[in-house]
Amino acid sequence: MLQIYNYIRPWRTCIISHQVMRRVCESSSRQWMPASTLSTILTGDVGQYYDTKLTMSTTHKMNSPLSPSRRFWHHSSILNTQQPPWQMPRTTVPSPNQVKPQSEPVEEMVDEGSLILLEQICDADSVQAILGVYEEQEDKFTEVHSARALWCLGQVCGRDYQKVASDVDHLPAEIGTTELIKMEGFRHLCSKVLQDSPHMSDASFLSILDSVQRLNISDRSDLVRTLLEQCKHRLNTLPPNELSLLVVILNRIPGSNTLARILLDGAALKVPDIINDITQLITVARFLKVLGRRLSFDDQKKLVNRLLAILIAGNNLTVESVIQGLTAVVDMRGHTKTYCKVALEFLVDKLDEVSRSDLVSIMIALSKHRYYDEEFFQVVGDHVAQMITNSSGSYDAWNLNQLSHICRVYTMFNHLHPALLDAIAELIVLSNRPYTLLSLTHITQAFAKFAYLPPDVPQILDFVTNACNMAEMEKEPFWVCISIATSLMCCGRYPDQMVEFILRRLSQQVSLDDLAMLNNMRKMHQVMRVRGFTANLPEFQKIIDSIPADLGQRKLSPKVERVYKKARVMTKEALTSVAKETSDVVEDIDAGLGYTIDFVLKQEEIKQAVVLQDSKCYAANVPQHALVWNKLMEEHLQANGYQVVWLQVEDIITLIDTEERAAFISNRVGCNGA
């Protein structure tokens, strides 16, 4: 019984909302309510709104030391008082016949005068204009007009927020909503919305619920709480598309709101029964994105299959819905790879319809899916490069944060796109707007990993080096400083101030638990040794020597190690056949700085270093383009008199017999002994 009491206890809020709603409904449409009364609708301060006797009686009874059973019957008697059908208590199962949402088109619901009024509301482009229409035509406002007016206010404030947010020098937490809530006209509009909400269609109701969130009205206010109470009744009657919109809106409400979480759980219980009724791709995507973790594994799989079936059918697909589906199935199990393949085939010809933010979302989703499509990456790179070029370096088109995400994904999949890197480099040089070190880190990592230096590389390196001042480095995570310093050194620039900052931090404490950080430190140390940056090398060497040699070192998986050993045996047989008596074949030569040569062919004064490497050490779309760590090793070996021959393990394994491998290696090393 105590559990039942705890379940019913939150419904004291229901009584409060009912009292507010009753007072609002009793007022006439032209009778303006006192400001103090209207304030309770938006702020939730209902203390002054109660009748003193009711407040004292309710407070005394709820705080009295009743037994669990008496508490249960006491609350049941309160909740069973007569209430409007949209305000049903949680213990009552609402009947679909109690409310009949209006589903007719607006043109059939209102006359010509009402349509003109609706156009006036939609044409109003400011808060004052919208509220002015309401104050002048209040007696003509229906539930359609009040819902549209609130929706337009949400759109206007959202538009103003985006306009101000584009100026990164001035980004307040709230744009105008605090002042808007204080306006008397807005308070009266909210009371009108609250009065009309039980009679609204599902679309209008969802629009006002979305609008109050856009306007930053507290979820503890009576307005929001009463709307959520109405959601309980509408939940069982909403069609799939409207239900998906509702769960998206509810998911934006803070997690501390118990009723919103309960409504989401209720929606999750309903989803398995309507999967086969869903016909729109975006509806499935919303359910997966919001309710995915609330569903069972079988229901998740059914939704993913439904999503794929709708996509393959290709009926009424939109760019937005396909993108929503791509981002929704990231954490789901099922045919996600198949969905990515079909989705990219649809999107590749419609990139002109994809916004910049959606394009970034696509690339991030692909990185989470671990799905790489060379053709799509090439087309997207061409498209972004052209957009940057057309914008002439203006921040109206792209910003470094968006481009850093794209660079990170291209770097992750080892896809080299010189035109894209050139365009980004030009944008960096021409830009004088704010940036973050994290965004610069992802961009410089792309240049460093591909060992690609664009024509404007001196200006880029100057820009990045100057950005790495002490004040900025103190704000960022330590790994960002190490990563960007390593990237700059790979590009040939030694950031002395940043290295001194890193050494100062490392001299205080080196965390042996952060294995990723240890690997980044070793990479930085290796670049310093290969490139001959000796200014701070002794201090860095002491720190590296203090770390156990095997701690954090990445090891090959057993499967990869077996393949590598097999390739070594095959390569040795082929090299012996090729060299015969003209050259000597020596295995496992220590070349210094931690580099080991697999095989060395010695012929008179010529030394050829034959090194086996995985295909991941090369650009995915340009197999002959080695990545930076191969480049560094090649620089070191050439400095020690070796001619370097790179052999990919995959090439050796795929050749059928020793003769074919011998012919392949002979062509690479240039021996004529065969």
Side-chain angles (χ1 to χ4, degrees):
M1 295 299 291
L2 183 59
Q3 293 179 349
I4 297 176
Y5 165 70
N6 291 332
Y7 181 70
I8 297 177
R9 183 172 53 184
W11 285 89
R12 286 175 289 185
T13 299
C14 170
I15 304 169
I16 295 172
S17 299
H18 172 54
Q19 295 293 329
V20 175
M21 189 62 191
R22 182 174 62 81
R23 295 289 184 92
V24 172
C25 292
E26 289 174 354
S27 64
S28 64
S29 60
R30 290 297 299 172
Q31 183 179 358
W32 288 68
M33 303 172 67
S36 60
T37 300
L38 291 171
S39 176
T40 64
I41 298 174
L42 301 178
T43 63
D45 184 13
V46 297
Q48 59 180 329
Y49 200 68
Y50 272 125
D51 179 79
T52 305
K53 183 176 180 180
L54 174 63
T55 305
M56 294 180 61
S57 174
T58 305
T59 304
H60 171 72
K61 291 179 180 179
M62 289 186 175
N63 293 333
S64 60
L66 302 178
S67 64
S69 59
R70 292 183 63 191
R71 289 173 184 167
F72 170 73
W73 291 113
H74 167 68
H75 285 290
S76 298
S77 62
I78 294 177
L79 293 178
N80 287 332
T81 56
Q82 187 175 0
Q83 298 181 19
W86 50 268
Q87 184 80 9
M88 298 296 293
R90 188 183 307 165
T91 54
T92 304
V93 179
S95 170
N97 297 324
Q98 289 177 298
V99 173
K100 296 181 180 180
Q102 299 172 350
S103 57
E104 296 84 358
V106 174
E107 291 77 2
E108 299 179 9
M109 295 165 50
V110 294
D111 54 22
E112 183 178 355
S114 296
L115 286 176
I116 295 175
L117 178 57
L118 197 62
E119 291 178 358
Q120 292 177 356
I121 298 173
C122 295
D123 292 340
D125 58 354
S126 67
V127 172
Q128 292 78 7
I130 297 171
L131 294 180
V133 173
Y134 173 67
E135 293 176 3
E136 294 175 2
Q137 308 281 347
E138 181 192 0
D139 57 334
K140 299 179 181 179
F141 261 57
T142 65
E143 62 270 14
V144 176
H145 300 114
S146 59
R148 178 58 62 173
L150 192 63
W151 182 85
C152 289
L153 284 173
Q155 296 298 312
V156 168
C157 290
R159 179 200 64 193
D160 293 341
Y161 176 80
Q162 293 296 333
K163 183 178 179 180
V164 178
S166 63
D167 183 3
V168 294
D169 295 328
H170 179 65
L171 186 59
E174 294 183 359
I175 307 298
T177 55
T178 303
E179 292 75 14
L180 178 64
I181 292 175
K182 296 178 181 178
M183 299 175 67
E184 186 178 6
F186 177 70
R187 293 176 178 273
H188 283 284
L189 176 60
C190 287
S191 69
K192 173 66 174 174
V193 168
L194 200 57
Q195 180 181 351
D196 293 341
S197 57
H199 314 293
M200 289 181 179
S201 66
D202 292 334
S204 297
F205 180 80
L206 292 174
S207 73
I208 63 172
L209 192 59
D210 178 68
S211 299
V212 296
Q213 291 187 354
R214 290 178 179 271
L215 296 170
N216 289 335
I217 297 177
S218 172
D219 64 294
R220 296 186 299 273
S221 67
D222 289 325
L223 175 62
V224 176
R225 287 189 292 182
T226 305
L227 293 177
L228 292 179
E229 295 293 344
Q230 297 183 45
C231 289
K232 293 191 303 178
H233 177 75
R234 294 176 181 261
L235 193 65
N236 289 330
T237 61
L238 286 175
N241 188 51
E242 283 71 16
L243 182 62
S244 70
L245 286 171
L246 176 62
V247 299
V248 170
I249 297 171
L250 292 174
N251 192 54
R252 296 202 299 261
I253 297 177
S256 58
N257 191 302
T258 305
L259 182 52
R261 301 307 105 186
I262 292 174
L263 287 168
L264 285 173
D265 291 337
L269 293 174
K270 185 181 177 182
V271 167
D273 298 330
I274 63 173
I275 291 178
N276 294 331
D277 299 329
I278 302 175
T279 58
Q280 298 187 30
L281 190 70
I282 196 168
T283 302
V284 188
R286 290 169 183 156
F287 285 140
L288 280 172
K289 200 165 189 177
V290 179
L291 303 178
R293 297 188 181 278
R294 285 180 163 87
L295 301 174
S296 66
F297 171 76
D298 290 337
D299 291 333
Q300 290 180 16
K301 190 174 181 180
K302 289 177 182 178
L303 274 178
V304 173
N305 291 338
R306 187 67 177 176
L307 190 76
L308 183 59
I310 297 174
L311 177 64
I312 294 176
N315 297 326
N316 301 322
L317 295 180
T318 64
V319 170
E320 179 188 3
S321 63
V322 174
I323 296 174
Q324 289 278 0
L326 192 64
T327 57
V329 298
V330 167
D331 298 325
M332 299 297 111
R333 301 177 184 179
H335 306 293
T336 56
K337 300 296 183 183
T338 306
Y339 183 88
C340 289
K341 180 178 182 297
V342 180
L344 296 189
E345 291 175 355
F346 174 83
L347 293 171
V348 70
D349 297 325
K350 298 183 178 349
L351 291 180
D352 291 335
E353 303 175 24
V354 180
S355 65
R356 298 185 302 277
S357 59
D358 284 342
L359 191 57
V360 173
S361 298
I362 292 172
M363 303 309 293
I364 294 176
L366 293 178
S367 68
K368 292 180 178 179
H369 283 295
R370 303 282 177 177
Y371 185 84
Y372 172 69
D373 186 298
E374 180 179 338
E375 179 183 358
F376 184 79
F377 272 65
Q378 194 64 30
V379 173
V380 169
D382 294 337
H383 179 70
V384 175
Q386 187 62 41
M387 290 179 66
I388 296 174
T389 303
N390 294 340
S391 67
S392 300
S394 172
Y395 256 69
D396 294 337
W398 288 93
N399 59 57
L400 289 184
N401 183 48
Q402 293 172 325
L403 293 175
S404 69
H405 285 299
I406 292 179
C407 281
R408 182 182 63 83
V409 178
Y410 274 75
T411 303
M412 170 183 171
F413 289 107
N414 295 340
H415 187 100
L416 173 62
H417 199 295
L420 176 62
L421 294 178
D422 288 342
I424 293 174
E426 182 180 358
L427 180 62
I428 293 176
V429 172
L430 296 177
S431 298
N432 56 0
R433 301 298 298 274
Y435 47 82
T436 64
L437 284 188
L438 183 59
S439 61
L440 292 181
T441 298
H442 293 318
I443 293 174
T444 53
Q445 279 179 341
F447 293 119
K449 185 172 185 178
F450 294 114
Y452 181 82
L453 301 180
D456 298 323
V457 66
Q459 295 93 321
I460 296 173
L461 298 181
D462 290 340
F463 180 87
V464 176
T465 304
N466 294 332
C468 300
N469 54 67
M470 294 297 178
E472 292 296 329
M473 288 188 291
E474 290 286 356
K475 300 177 185 177
E476 299 293 340
F478 189 47
W479 71 266
V480 172
C481 301
I482 293 181
S483 179
I484 199 169
T486 304
S487 298
L488 286 172
M489 286 188 281
C490 288
C491 294
R493 176 66 58 89
Y494 185 73
D496 49 356
Q497 291 185 356
M498 181 172 285
V499 173
E500 292 175 0
F501 171 80
I502 292 172
L503 287 172
R504 186 164 58 253
R505 288 280 296 271
L506 291 176
S507 63
Q508 299 172 1
Q509 182 180 5
V510 178
S511 175
L512 299 181
D513 297 329
D514 193 344
L515 302 183
M517 179 66 68
L518 297 180
N519 280 325
N520 289 334
M521 290 167 54
R522 290 191 178 101
K523 289 180 180 179
M524 182 176 174
H525 177 243
Q526 185 71 353
V527 177
M528 293 174 69
R529 293 196 297 174
V530 174
R531 288 291 167 85
F533 297 128
T534 59
N536 302 98
L537 188 58
E539 298 93 324
F540 211 93
Q541 185 67 53
K542 291 181 181 179
I543 296 174
I544 296 297
D545 292 340
S546 66
I547 303 173
D550 59 341
L551 185 62
Q553 292 282 14
R554 294 182 180 178
K555 297 181 180 180
L556 297 176
S557 65
K559 181 179 178 180
V560 174
E561 190 171 1
R562 286 195 301 269
V563 173
Y564 181 74
K565 289 181 178 179
K566 181 179 179 181
R568 276 182 60 91
V569 173
M570 293 178 175
T571 303
K572 183 178 180 181
E573 293 176 354
L575 280 174
T576 304
S577 175
V578 168
K580 292 186 178 179
E581 298 179 357
T582 60
S583 305
D584 295 328
V585 179
V586 184
E587 291 185 75
D588 297 330
I589 300 298
D590 184 3
L593 300 186
Y595 292 123
T596 300
I597 304 175
D598 293 306
F599 303 99
V600 173
L601 293 179
K602 294 183 179 180
Q603 186 176 10
E604 297 180 356
E605 297 180 356
I606 300 176
K607 296 188 300 182
Q608 288 185 308
V610 179
V611 184
L612 287 171
Q613 284 286 5
D614 187 85
S615 60
K616 294 180 180 179
C617 298
Y618 298 83
N621 58 321
V622 187
Q624 65 275 16
H625 185 93
L627 300 180
V628 64
W629 301 110
N630 278 20
K631 294 283 188 181
L632 291 173
M633 182 176 180
E634 186 171 352
E635 288 180 17
H636 176 69
L637 296 181
Q638 288 176 348
N640 286 274
Y642 289 97
Q643 295 179 359
V644 184
V645 179
W646 299 99
L647 297 179
Q648 292 191 26
V649 172
E650 291 80 1
D651 292 337
I652 301 298
I653 295 294
T654 53
L655 295 174
I656 299 177
D657 52 30
T658 304
E659 293 183 1
E660 288 189 3
R661 288 189 286 271
F664 173 77
I665 293 177
S666 176
N667 183 54
R668 298 296 299 273
V669 301
C671 292
N672 298 317

